Amino acid sequence: MKKALITGISGQDGSYLTELLLSKGYQVHGMIRRSSTFNTGRIDHIYRDPHNGDKARMRLYYGDLTSTDSLQNVISEVEPDEIYNLAAQSHVRVSFDMPEYTGDVTGLGTLRLLEAIRRTGAKVRFYQASTSELFGSASPPQSEATPFEPQSPYAAAKAYAHWVTQNYREGYGVFASSGILFNHESPRRGETFVTRKITRAVAAILAGKQEHLYMGNLDSKRDWGYAPEYVEVMWRLLQHDEPMDLVIGTGESHTVREFLEEAFGYVNLDYQDYVRIDPQYFRPTEVDFLLADARKAKDVLGWEPRIRFKDLARIMMDADLELLGLEAPGDGKCLLAERFDGWHRWEDQIVSMDK
Ligand code: NAP
Ligand code: G4F
């Protein structure tokens, strides 16, 4: 049975990756931050208390990317076969307010993890969560060959993490791969990222709990995909014979305005009646146009996205409507069930975490 260690297990991607790996028979070990309130909402449905006689399927450890000792301790204790480094201060706008912290966690944090791998001599395969933000102002479409032009402290920190991952691959022979993932969303997306902010607001407006939605730049274009499909690539990347960098995206790009039209239109509302612009959501420098050229992913891993823009908006809308007890007009849930029947029903698997 393979052992995986996931940093950022409590995040959107960490939770989906945990489900995927459990369905494949892995033992999953995750690092979480100590917090005064619970921060495990996305993985609570997976957790089983061994004190109740249940077999633990997943084990959590306190740690932080800013703490070298916690990283070394968890690697020594778990002795993982694969490490997925998903932890980060991942919000671009916030990185302008907290540039030093973002550099420390998102940039240096990756170095600390790689250095812990090198020092402990652990024979692991390492996945780094690189990002399309690296491309910044580079002209679309963007592929592995596109030069990086980072436009935020977040992107600059991720560039450092990306290059240092490549350096440990080449310099020390660490099996280290980076997935350069374009934006990917889901009902578990953090509430302050633009898609989820919109779908939550539409549901709240429909429920009479919110009057207006305050937004920033509506003209930027993003290549939005569906997070469960993207975590599958992370796993596939580490099963490949050779470590590499790989771009992952849908090859379809839409403006924030189009996402508004799609989400409000789904419940027969006109976004223009509700959306107001608040300059506090503008960024000092913006990334205008992201569009993936993911041909290498298809060639090397045979990977292609199935969920596209309209389906994604519907899946997210249905989930947020349901959270507020509202009827979903569309077929998002059917889409989810039909297209992802299989690995997400990890409960069917017998996965023991007893050591
Ligand atoms: P997310 O939901 O924001 O999750 C980030 C995770 O990192 C959370 O578990 C968070 O813990 C943890 N974390 C934050 N600071 C930490 C620290 N100092 N030490 C340890 N853990 C820390 O992000 P995501 O959307 O799942 O994305 C996963 C990774 O992919 C991130 O590295 C992100 O930058 C990158 N990425 C995301 C996208 C995307 O579109 N989603 C695209 C490209 C790359 P808490 O729960 O305690 O906050
Ligand atoms: O949803 P966003 O905050 O995502 P952004 O900045 O593209 O970053 C996300 O994707 C990256 C991959 O490319 C990841 F690396 C990163 O960790 C994160 O997951 O903003 C998308 C666009 C931006 O152009 C932003 O200016 O939406 C625009 N926007 C307009 N109004 C807004 C808002 N973004 C947010 N968060 N909130 C607004 O009110």
Side-chain angles (χ1 to χ4, degrees):
M1 187 183 283
K2 276 191 187 173
K3 286 188 279 187
L5 172 65
I6 304 175
T7 73
I9 192 169
S10 58
Q12 171 188 257
D13 291 5
S15 67
Y16 285 120
L17 181 64
T18 300
E19 290 173 1
L20 175 70
L21 296 180
L22 288 172
S23 79
K24 294 189 178 298
Y26 277 66
Q27 287 183 7
V28 177
H29 301 257
M31 200 180 80
I32 56 168
R33 296 193 285 177
R34 197 272 157 180
S35 155
S36 68
T37 52
F38 289 122
N39 57 0
T40 53
R42 293 187 180 99
I43 47 173
D44 282 345
H45 62 290
I46 305 170
Y47 186 74
R48 299 290 178 273
D49 187 345
H51 298 105
N52 297 336
D54 291 334
K55 283 193 169 171
R57 299 161 161 112
M58 165 187 76
R59 186 154 171 202
L60 301 177
Y61 306 77
Y62 283 116
D64 199 297
L65 282 190
T66 58
S67 153
T68 304
D69 54 354
S70 71
L71 301 176
Q72 285 178 350
N73 289 344
V74 73
I75 290 174
S76 300
E77 189 170 342
V78 173
E79 296 182 341
D81 299 292
E82 296 168 9
I83 296 179
Y84 296 86
N85 182 31
L86 310 186
Q89 190 304 91
S90 69
H91 203 284
V92 174
R93 179 68 192 82
V94 171
S95 79
F96 288 99
D97 301 329
M98 303 175 73
E100 182 186 343
Y101 174 76
T102 303
D104 193 10
V105 174
T106 305
L108 275 180
T110 305
L111 172 76
R112 291 188 187 101
L113 201 47
L114 286 162
E115 189 57 10
I117 291 170
R118 188 181 74 82
R119 282 175 188 239
T120 54
K123 289 276 164 279
V124 298
R125 293 190 169 204
F126 178 83
Y127 174 86
Q128 170 58 19
S130 285
T131 165
S132 51
E133 277 291 304
L134 295 170
F135 299 123
S137 49
S139 300
Q142 294 98 0
S143 73
E144 295 80 5
T146 306
F148 297 157
E149 297 181 29
Q151 295 296 308
S152 65
Y154 166 78
K158 281 285 186 184
Y160 176 83
H162 183 87
W163 290 124
V164 87
T165 299
Q166 227 174 69
N167 183 242
Y168 274 62
R169 183 199 302 163
E170 288 163 9
Y172 302 113
V174 177
F175 190 109
S177 285
S178 293
I180 306 177
L181 271 50
F182 282 61
N183 298 51
H184 45 281
E185 322 289 312
S186 76
R188 296 185 198 170
R189 184 61 146 146
E191 290 87 347
T192 61
F193 295 98
V194 78
T195 54
R196 187 75 201 289
K197 179 172 170 177
I198 293 170
T199 57
R200 281 182 91 229
V202 175
I205 287 168
L206 211 61
K209 293 171 183 288
Q210 186 172 330
E211 215 173 325
H212 294 116
L213 169 60
Y214 292 92
M215 304 276 305
N217 176 17
L218 307 187
D219 296 319
S220 54
K221 297 178 91 173
R222 291 290 181 273
D223 181 329
W224 281 296
Y226 186 44
E229 293 192 308
Y230 286 44
V231 300
E232 200 177 338
V233 184
M234 298 176 186
W235 173 75
R236 283 207 217 173
L237 200 45
L238 291 201
Q239 312 317 305
H240 199 264
D241 296 340
E242 296 295 329
M244 67 183 91
D245 301 333
L246 201 63
V247 158
I248 299 298
T250 68
E252 192 180 322
S253 191
H254 296 270
T255 59
V256 173
R257 194 184 304 281
E258 286 174 286
F259 196 92
L260 282 167
E261 283 165 358
E262 201 60 43
F264 277 88
Y266 186 55
V267 294
N268 297 316
L269 296 178
D270 183 345
Y271 84 91
Q272 296 180 87
D273 296 335
Y274 302 95
V275 170
R276 303 281 182 273
I277 300 301
D278 182 341
Q280 74 161 307
Y281 297 115
F282 291 146
R283 296 160 184 198
T285 39
E286 178 62 280
V287 170
D288 294 323
F289 193 172
L290 293 176
L291 174 67
D293 173 353
R295 277 177 292 180
K296 184 175 171 188
K298 188 175 179 193
D299 292 347
V300 175
L301 298 183
W303 181 87
E304 273 188 293
R306 288 164 290 176
I307 299 289
R308 299 286 173 166
F309 179 69
K310 277 181 191 293
D311 287 343
L312 175 67
R314 286 175 190 184
I315 288 168
M316 294 180 70
M317 274 307 307
D318 280 351
D320 275 323
L321 290 170
E322 196 180 326
L323 274 181
L324 292 188
L326 299 168
E327 194 71 20
D331 57 358
K333 270 173 288 186
C334 303
L335 280 173
L336 252 181
E338 280 167 19
R339 299 188 190 185
F340 287 91
D341 197 23
W343 63 258
H344 73 279
R345 289 194 287 113
W346 60 272
E347 293 265 11
D348 300 344
Q349 317 277 329
I350 299 165
V351 183
S352 167
M353 284 283 300
D354 296 347
K355 285 205 280 180

